[in-house]
Amino acid sequence: MTQTSRIPGFYNQDLEKRRELAAQAAALTREDLLPYLTGGLSPEQAGHMVENAIGTHALPLGLGLNFVVNGREVLVPMAIEEPSVIAGASFMAKLARAGGGFQATASEPNMIGQIQILNLADIYAARLAIYEHKAELLSAVDEIDPLLKKLGGGARDLEVRIFEASPIGPFLVVHLIYDVRDAMGANAINTACERLAPRLEQITGGRVHLRILSNLADQRLARARCTIPLNELAFEEYSGEQVRDGIIAAWAFAAADPYRAATHNKGIMNGVDAVVIATGNDWRAIEAGAHAYAARSGRYTSLSTWGKDAAGNLVGTLEMPMAVGIVGGATKVHPAAQAAIKLMGIQTAAELAEIIVSVGLAQNLAALRALATEGIQRGHMSLHARQVAIAAGARGEQIEKLAAQLVAEKTVRIDRAEEILRQWNQGHND
Ligand code: MEV
């Protein structure tokens, strides 16, 4: 079990030392984290995962520090190419920790499968005929996967939706609600939809067309809440009240305007996707679900809310679909995904969903706090400067030195970085 997610000075250590400290904090061995040394996936394993594989594609993997989710310390693996994201999440988790960390819940892991039925003489009668056979249809689904049933999953419900008007005229859509437990569930639900199709054709006299899950997984939600004590928000010339009210006004912008909401939610997804990817889950499914859920009222809006409690502390919430699993697919075969699950010490997909939604909320706070005060560029620039320095050819100690100079000159550009490096190297050769 993770002793602590708070590792002061982590940032200043080299990678080897960081792995050692992380293993210590999470009560793991260094071997448990070895997949992170190699990217985790051999080209041969990659060849078994996708077609036409010629190799692998790596991303940086960092740790979100300071997270406490439902009273449990957790080190969060985050795979992402964008600078500032991991630092932002870790910093906000530190502020949230002073208010008790994140309280998170996950609903039952109910996925939705869709079966489209065309060519119906009478869509209303066909709809009712399906309901008459509901018990039979649900038990047919339960026969597909006895293990899932034993684990407490299985078919939960059938709903029949009528589309009276569409570009091809009326049709029916059956929703199968399927509890997939610790799986992401795409395979289970798609199999179940395909299995039900012939019987639905018999019952309705129509023709089944599509049989596929819906990524708008609005029956599989994760929710997180945090309270940031007012005094934790104050910094430099900004008072706690100023920062709090600035964050609330920034959120109001996203709540009111889809143009802003898209960017606001993108900031949330910076954190969400990083953990989704680190655990081998399908981030396109999570993205699709998030944005569709954000538009569920008919108007695209913020996935999070920000306000203040009776004592004046900042309070944030985030609710979104979270179809992630810890069994099956890449979550099982990717060694780095396995290391991620070990590192977080989780046993269920629900626990993973709770951590991910907490990271999303922390990430949202990091962006809003920066935007509402000093702006996003200051923090971004120093990290961006390091990438520019590396791209210009800086190595070892030169990287930090060159990055610092670029920031001091307020010119974080590759041409300037190369020029400085040339001057340094000339000096060296003289
Ligand atoms: C950048 O990757 C994410 C932000 O644009 C999010 C936001 O504006 O809230 C900073």
Side-chain angles (χ1 to χ4, degrees), residues 49 275-283 325 328-332 334 336-338 340:
M49 287 173 78
V275 191
V276 171
I277 293 170
T279 54
N281 274 287
D282 179 346
W283 74 93
T331 61
K332 246 326 189 237
H334 198 306
Q338 285 293 297

Side-chain angles (χ1 to χ4, degrees), residues 379-395:
H380 261 194
M381 271 308 150
S382 51
L383 286 158
H384 177 55
R386 272 203 258 153
Q387 287 188 334
V388 170
I390 295 168
R395 294 292 173 262

Side-chain angles (χ1 to χ4, degrees), residues 93-107:
K94 194 168 153 199
L95 302 191
R97 160 181 201 110
F102 297 87
Q103 284 73 48
T105 52
S107 70

Side-chain angles (χ1 to χ4, degrees), residues 82 85 260 263-268 270 364 367-368 371 376 380:
E82 185 175 325
V85 168
R260 173 58 205 150
T263 326
H264 176 100
N265 290 341
K266 189 273 183 183
I268 292 172
N270 276 343
N364 185 216
L368 297 190
L371 288 167
I376 209 79
H380 261 194

Side-chain angles (χ1 to χ4, degrees), residues 80 213 350 391 408:
I80 188 159
L213 92 169

Side-chain angles (χ1 to χ4, degrees), residues 292-314:
Y293 195 66
R296 68 193 181 284
S297 69
R299 189 176 60 81
Y300 186 88
T301 187
S302 165
L303 284 166
S304 63
T305 68
W306 290 96
K308 56 183 176 186
D309 67 13
N313 301 312
L314 179 71

Side-chain angles (χ1 to χ4, degrees), residues 54-128:
I54 60 165
T56 58
H57 172 97
L59 280 175
L61 188 290
L63 293 185
L65 302 180
N66 305 320
F67 277 90
V68 177
V69 178
N70 295 334
R72 203 171 70 81
E73 302 273 338
V74 58
L75 287 168
V76 186
M78 300 174 75
I80 188 159
E81 86 297 346
E82 185 175 325
S84 297
V85 168
I86 299 170
S90 302
F91 186 18
M92 294 308 111
K94 194 168 153 199
L95 302 191
R97 160 181 201 110
F102 297 87
Q103 284 73 48
T105 52
S107 70
E108 294 299 311
N110 288 336
M111 294 295 284
I112 299 171
Q114 297 194 292
I115 304 162
Q116 182 190 24
I117 312 177
L118 307 177
N119 305 348
L120 293 163
D122 183 325
I123 50 172
Y124 306 102
R127 175 171 176 268
L128 294 203

